[in-house]
């Protein structure tokens, strides 16, 4: 399995990431996007005004893969995509893409739609931005921000259990406090991922790109 963790989807298009990613992302690969990370409750009409083909958000995600020659992109929609079709798309995907948004609500909807086991069993390439990076971990934390007002610890998909991450890292006191809590409780490394950074886990080998870095190791703080 290969896991690509970032804070912004646009990181896929950056020069500092391209040389590394072109060794992983190939033109004939099939991408499946999980459209479950929206905040609050949306009507079906509101949902598709954001995620339907041709919308700004849809095209933004599709365009992230054009530099790698990938054009086979399908979505698992919260509305309309039935369970059997969700399972088929997961099983036939080379790449699963988890967008940013609300990580806890994305996990809730995964469980609601009964595709948790299929996602856990996936062995291909998993790409996630922000919330989509967070849920790839076995345990992840949410630092207080404009959407979440208190520290929270949650359970993710379990692809990664060796470390934790702090997405959108900007050296905020609340972020540092959250990392200290996770470090104290679990004694695991923590990687910070600013908007211009990325962490790639390739069959257990961890690589940081650009501004992403290991903030804590097993013995304590590095920088």
């Amino acid at each position: 399995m290969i896991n690509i963790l970032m804070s912004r989807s646009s990181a896929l298009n950056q020069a500092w990431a391209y040389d590394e990613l072109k060794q992983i992302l190939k033109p004939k690969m099939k991408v499946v996007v999980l459209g479950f990370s929206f905040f609050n409750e949306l009507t079906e009409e509101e949902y598709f005004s954001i995620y339907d083909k041709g919308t700004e958000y849809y095209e933004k995600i599709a365009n992230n893969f054009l530099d790698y020659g990938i054009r086979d992109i399908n979505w698992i929609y919260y509305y309309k995509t039935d369970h059997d079709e969700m399972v088929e798309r997961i099983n036939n995907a080379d790449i699963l893409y988890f967008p940013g948004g609300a990580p806890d609500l994305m996990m809730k909807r995964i469980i609601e739609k009964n595709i948790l086991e299929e996602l856990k069993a996936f062995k291909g390439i998993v790409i996630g931005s922000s919330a989509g990076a967070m849920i790839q971990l076995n345990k992840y934390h949410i630092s207080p921000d404009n959407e979440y007002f208190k520290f929270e610890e949650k359970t993710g998909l379990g692809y990664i259990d060796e470390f934790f991450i702090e997405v959108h890292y900007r050296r905020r006191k609340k972020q540092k406090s959250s990392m200290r809590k996770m470090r104290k409780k679990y004694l695991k490394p923590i990687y910070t991922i600013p908007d211009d950074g990325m962490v790639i886990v390739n069959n257990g080998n961890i690589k940081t790109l650009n501004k992403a870095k290991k903030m804590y190791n097993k013995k304590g703080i590095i920088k």
Side-chain angles (χ1 to χ4, degrees), residues 203-220:
N203 295 311
N205 297 311
I206 303 167
K207 188 166 193 175
T208 58
L209 299 184
N210 208 38
K211 298 297 179 64
K213 67 179 180 181
K214 183 188 285 188
M215 181 64 71
Y216 289 88
N217 61 18
K218 290 182 179 180
K219 294 182 179 180

Side-chain angles (χ1 to χ4, degrees), residues 152-216:
E152 297 183 58
E153 183 182 328
K154 300 289 186 178
T155 299
L157 293 170
Y159 298 139
I160 298 168
D161 195 30
E162 296 80 14
F163 59 83
F164 302 116
I165 60 173
E166 183 71 37
V167 296
H168 301 296
Y169 184 64
R170 296 190 297 274
R171 299 180 180 274
R172 294 189 296 113
K173 289 182 179 179
K174 291 179 179 179
Q175 291 178 312
K176 292 180 179 180
S177 174
S178 296
M179 290 192 293
R180 284 195 295 269
K181 289 176 182 177
M182 296 301 283
R183 162 67 194 166
K184 183 177 180 180
K185 184 174 181 179
Y186 293 103
L187 300 177
K188 291 183 179 180
I190 301 176
Y191 288 82
T192 55
I193 308 177
D195 289 355
D196 53 352
M198 181 182 294
V199 175
I200 299 175
V201 185
N202 191 339
N203 295 311
N205 297 311
I206 303 167
K207 188 166 193 175
T208 58
L209 299 184
N210 208 38
K211 298 297 179 64
K213 67 179 180 181
K214 183 188 285 188
M215 181 64 71
Y216 289 88

